[in-house]
Amino acid sequence: DVPTTLQNKKLISLDLGSMLAGSKYGGRYGDVVSVWLERYLFTGGAHGMTFSEFYNFDYNNGKRLAVAEIFDDTTKLSQLNRDAFGKFLTEQGITDVDQALFVSPDQLPLPKNVGFDSTGVVMRYNQYEIAPYAMGILSYSLPYDQVKSLLR
């Protein structure tokens, strides 16, 4: 939501890191600006939880964008994601994926957190999203040259 005092105004610069603890500027690609928020929550029990979230906005109007509003072909994006995730697991030395994940790699859903940074399109799964807590936050990038044709 945009405060009424800022509606119909052009925003030149905004330092979200100074405004929100745990926020970072992810990056910008075309008219999409990504902000990354990370927070920690402990409500008792064995351990707390770290949550990492990307928020993508249209640079021109400030509207928050869903993944389907950024990419023309989410089916192709899903396939690229599965391929990159398999490579990521190999680089991490994880060979027994059936034991390590809650889903089979060929059924891997797109992450809830997709954003942009200097390396490409960041795919990020939070703890328990597809794997046990001990696996941590799983994060890797799809290079821009692989996804450029899929962007709106």
Side-chain angles (χ1 to χ4, degrees), residues 11 13-29 31-39 51-59 62-65 70 112-118 120 122 124 126 144:
L11 185 62
S13 173
L14 180 62
D15 183 359
L16 287 174
S18 297
M19 294 174 56
L20 298 167
S23 68
K24 298 176 185 172
Y25 174 70
R28 177 178 173 192
Y29 188 82
D31 287 335
V32 179
V33 175
S34 292
V35 176
W36 169 39
L37 285 167
E38 190 167 284
R39 54 198 162 98
F51 296 93
S52 179
E53 297 173 285
F54 269 110
Y55 293 92
N56 297 298
F57 298 94
D58 183 308
Y59 177 77
K63 178 184 174 228
R64 185 168 173 200
L65 300 170
I70 301 170
K112 294 176 184 172
N113 291 295
V114 175
F116 296 87
D117 72 5
S118 62
V122 179
R124 184 167 288 148
N126 280 312
Y144 284 119

